[in-house]
Amino acid sequence: MMKTILPGQTIGIIGGGQLGRMMGLAAKEAGFKIAVLDPVMDSPCGQIADIRIVAPYNDAAALEELGEVSDVITYEFENIDYEGLKHLTEIAHVPQGAELVRITQNRINEKAEITAAGAPVAKYITAQTYEELKEKIADVGFPCIVKTAFGGYDGKGQVKIDSIEEIHTAESLFEHSACIAEAFVPFEKEVSVIIQRNAAGESYCLPVAENIHKDHILHESIVPARVHASVLAQAEEAAMKIADHLQLVGTLAVEMFVLEDDKIVINELAPRPHNSGHYTIEACNISQFHQHIRAVCGWPLRKPRLWAPSIMVNVLGEHVAPLKKIVTNYPDWSIHLYGKAEAKIKRKMGHVTIMTDDIEKVLVEIESTGIWSEEY
Ligand code: AMP
């Protein structure tokens, strides 16, 4: 039975970053109250929340307190304490459960589940120790990428290895956790599909985004992705298979590589709204954040529609000051800043979304500002 949470009731969010903030803003439009657990009082979500619990994410008493003040609990990132979340599922309403977090916070589990769902992944091996890596690495061949099973993001916790002579560069990764080694995928493009599902099994994919990274950090998402229709179909099919296999409730972002022959390979999963879906706030009839709230509150989902092609550009710490100087010259740019106090280099501070009928022209316009160029 799907439990329905209604406006006036309180949604508790574990994590107070920008994803929590945008979820919270979507929920507050409908009259929900927001409680947030974050170590920082003035976090992006804390700034818009009704109730703030200031404590580490894995603080058992704080998690229980969040459970007490909330009618439903969700989370904005996957690196939360699994045991703490599992305990919360026993004492509070956590429709997403804890299993999805257990799987997606560990690349070894994640790869196994993607494979079990019948979706394609790069050839890989798992290694508990550096010695095991040395024994098995020939099975994946070179070049390959060694990644820590736990805790990596935005390219951290991974090393590319071009030949057996370089294997020592992966040794220090084992100080953090077990690892996987996967074949390097010579991709043409990276795309992502965000799929959202409620407890009744109703699910929808958002339009597929094409993602351009700089220094392993998402720079731009272009929607619709500039790929053949057959790629869009494969991408959605894979996302649906994985969501069904995991009995998803909430949001799952599926990141994938597109190969020269138009086949896809799944890279990784994120069990939450995703940076590549921010464009939906302006460009769709339902944003990823509104749909996420509907899913966890047990509401029927809305079939997504894209109003216009769009580009989202991330605003990192070094982009904030120059962006403020020029943004008023661009009436079509929707600017989002997340309220983070310190504009540290490479820190995600906000994003800009531009809806346009001429993607190529706007891509050139964005680069011509110089703000996002390496030399700036
Ligand atoms: P990840 O942290 O797994 O998302 O990896 C970060 C980025 O590294 C990806 O967005 C890709 O650009 C690149 N990458 C990761 N895995 C592979 C792979 N097997 N082959 C080629 N590039 C990869």
Side-chain angles (χ1 to χ4, degrees), residues 107 145 147 155 158 182-185 187 190 213 216 255 257 267-268:
R107 287 188 195 271
I145 301 193
K147 303 180 178 180
Q158 52 180 274
E182 64 183 40
F184 181 83
V185 180
F187 59 83
E190 293 188 78
H213 294 87
H216 292 287
E255 296 180 21
F257 302 124
N267 176 25
E268 62 175 3

Side-chain angles (χ1 to χ4, degrees), residues 107 146-159 173 176 179:
R107 287 188 195 271
V146 184
K147 303 180 178 180
T148 54
F150 275 97
Y153 68 96
D154 288 345
K156 296 191 178 71
Q158 52 180 274
V159 174
L173 294 177
H176 303 281
C179 290

Side-chain angles (χ1 to χ4, degrees), residues 98-133:
E99 193 54 13
L100 189 61
V101 161
R102 186 187 68 78
I103 293 165
T104 54
Q105 68 179 207
N106 180 333
R107 287 188 195 271
I108 295 175
N109 296 337
E110 187 175 285
K111 288 264 194 239
E113 295 295 333
I114 298 169
T115 307
V121 296
K123 189 169 182 196
Y124 74 101
I125 55 106
T126 65
Q128 296 297 321
T129 61
Y130 180 55
E131 277 60 44
E132 196 180 351
L133 179 74

